[in-house]
Amino acid sequence: MQIIKGTKVITVAQAADLAAIKEAGAIIRRGGLVAFPTETVYGLGGNALDPEAAAKIYAAKGRPSDNPLIVHVARPEEIEDLVADIPMVAEKLIEHFWPGPLTLVFPAANKVPRKTTGGLDTVAIRMPAHPVALAFIEASAYPIAGPSANLSGRPSPTTAQHVIADLAGRIDMIIDSGHTGVGVESTVLDVTVNPPQVLRPGGLTLEQLRQVVPTITVDPTTVQDTPPEIGRVRAPGMKYKHYAPKAEVLVVEGQPENITAKICELYDAYVSCGRRVAIMATAETAPSYKERRVAIVGTRANLGSVAANLFDQLRRFDASDVEGVLAEGVDMVGLGLAVMNRLRKAAGYRIIKA
Ligand code: AMP
Ligand code: MG
């Protein structure tokens, strides 16, 4: 155990570490905040039924209070208390995909504070597939409101070190269980509309969802390559500037050969102006850049590896002297859909088609 700026940091390797998990649960019952690991990214947990805890979460993150919080449960039955209706399609999806990176948006029961839902009459709920997260939720004896445990506008945290960098001194405890696996946030699916609609692409792919419910649609603002008009975005969080690293990011999209040629050209032009730039590449394309400064984020053959490392890599650029990042686009299939959604936002939609 360590205390950093007043925040307790405990390492919990397994759900069986009862003393630590009980302590985290007790903090939640007292109205405090605990950052916890999930399979997607670290969450910032507070009692979802306590409007004051929700207010503390918004304050700790510096998050606009109309951006709703996802409620985390340890068992599917817990949703019965939190929602006004469970559409049949939701039951089917829960059976297939919970626990896992799928958040479902339901009509909210009255007992869910409107502070937690950002003022909406709907509530977003998921059951994470992480033993420590589940044990922590059980120990707290409340559903846990848990947005990503980063300062608003920074890349989501995939290690406890990221959480410490953003939130030490602002919350009561951080549970460190190492790297998260998926690396991008959950898929948010609205089941209050028919057919259900993806409001945010994420760790559960559209292809996986459509195997169970073929009619599922996608909010077009989440996959477009221009900044979404605020009035059209359906997940309130998607309208805010997000995942913004300090370095200016430019995404180059197209066929891999065209991407590498364009990035070499841009890189050399920047360097000749005296700018410190780096390339965010994949293992397959990295050799094309020769002596240029390259960070490999993952492989094109396994876009899950890109998802897993994306936020960590963006934070590494932040910690370096790099002023500009030339990032390769990837195919918008599988986890590539979530990766490109995050990357385009990180770039503020500065996109070049190669
Ligand atoms: P984060 O907490 O950082 O993972 O972000 C949660 C995402 O889920 C944001 O984009 C929210 O806008 C979205 N979300 C949460 N609750 C709802 C809801 N009731 N309706 C629509 N989107 C929601
Ligand atoms: Mg977030």
Side-chain angles (χ1 to χ4, degrees):
M1 203 268 291
Q2 246 183 315
I3 294 183
I4 303 177
K5 297 190 207 163
T7 297
K8 251 189 193 185
V9 181
I10 52 167
T11 304
V12 178
Q14 316 176 16
D17 188 348
L18 281 182
I21 286 172
K22 273 189 179 158
E23 186 179 351
I27 291 174
I28 295 295
R29 286 195 302 280
R30 287 200 301 271
L33 303 186
V34 176
F36 63 103
T38 78
E39 81 279 31
T40 58
V41 302
Y42 276 77
L44 173 54
N47 176 357
L49 300 183
D50 173 5
E52 280 173 35
K56 283 189 195 169
I57 290 175
Y58 288 112
K61 278 180 64 84
R63 178 171 179 140
S65 61
D66 65 345
N67 187 356
L69 309 175
I70 292 173
V71 176
H72 294 70
V73 296
R75 285 171 293 115
E77 308 83 81
E78 285 176 51
I79 69 172
E80 284 161 25
D81 245 19
L82 305 172
V83 307
D85 175 45
I86 306 178
M88 239 151 61
V89 70
E91 282 179 27
K92 194 167 163 186
L93 289 163
I94 287 170
E95 209 170 286
H96 274 86
F97 296 119
W98 280 14
L102 175 64
T103 296
L104 298 172
V105 175
F106 295 93
N110 290 332
K111 77 183 277 189
V112 180
R114 291 321 186 242
K115 273 251 184 242
T116 299
T117 67
L120 298 174
D121 288 329
T122 53
V123 59
I125 310 180
R126 89 170 183 110
M127 176 179 172
H130 192 297
V132 172
L134 295 174
F136 159 62
I137 300 166
E138 288 277 8
S140 78
Y142 284 104
I144 298 289
S148 51
N150 52 287
L151 285 175
S152 194
R154 303 230 39 217
S156 291
T158 54
T159 67
Q161 284 64 43
H162 298 160
V163 183
I164 292 167
D166 280 14
L167 297 178
R170 304 172 79 96
I171 63 179
D172 300 288
M173 182 186 269
I174 297 168
I175 304 175
D176 180 354
S177 301
H179 273 269
T180 62
V182 178
V184 290
E185 305 88 339
S186 61
T187 301
V188 178
L189 183 73
D190 185 356
V191 291
T192 69
V193 293
N194 189 9
Q197 186 174 49
V198 172
L199 305 186
R200 173 178 77 180
L204 187 73
T205 68
L206 187 59
E207 293 86 343
Q208 286 172 297
L209 279 169
R210 283 187 176 155
Q211 272 176 14
V212 177
V213 183
T215 52
I216 285 176
T217 64
V218 180
D219 175 357
T221 66
T222 68
V223 291
Q224 68 189 38
D225 57 9
T226 49
E229 276 171 65
I230 285 181
R232 305 183 76 90
V233 176
R234 298 212 42 235
M238 300 298 276
K239 69 176 180 261
Y240 293 106
K241 186 161 184 263
H242 235 181
Y243 320 114
K246 288 180 204 136
E248 191 170 295
V249 180
L250 214 148
V251 189
V252 181
E253 300 181 4
Q255 291 304 316
E257 329 65 90
N258 300 339
I259 292 177
T260 53
K262 188 71 189 173
I263 287 184
C264 286
E265 181 191 319
L266 290 165
Y267 183 101
D268 295 346
Y270 279 121
V271 168
S272 70
C273 302
R275 299 216 26 216
R276 285 189 298 276
V277 285
I279 300 165
M280 188 160 84
T282 48
E284 292 90 339
T285 48
S288 314
Y289 300 115
K290 311 250 163 57
E291 305 302 306
R292 297 175 182 87
R293 185 168 172 180
V294 175
I296 296 178
V297 68
T299 68
R300 287 175 182 271
N302 171 15
L303 292 175
S305 65
V306 179
N309 294 317
L310 178 68
F311 290 136
D312 189 35
Q313 186 54 55
L314 290 174
R315 281 180 181 257
R316 280 174 203 271
F317 285 130
D318 271 356
S320 76
D321 63 344
V322 162
E323 302 163 307
V325 174
L326 298 165
E328 292 184 356
V330 297
D331 290 340
M332 291 179 67
V333 296
L335 285 167
L337 199 64
V339 166
M340 289 308 291
N341 170 270
R342 308 303 190 273
L343 195 53
R344 286 168 167 176
K345 282 160 155 292
Y349 292 89
R350 282 182 296 269
I351 297 168
I352 291 188
K353 303 282 182 186

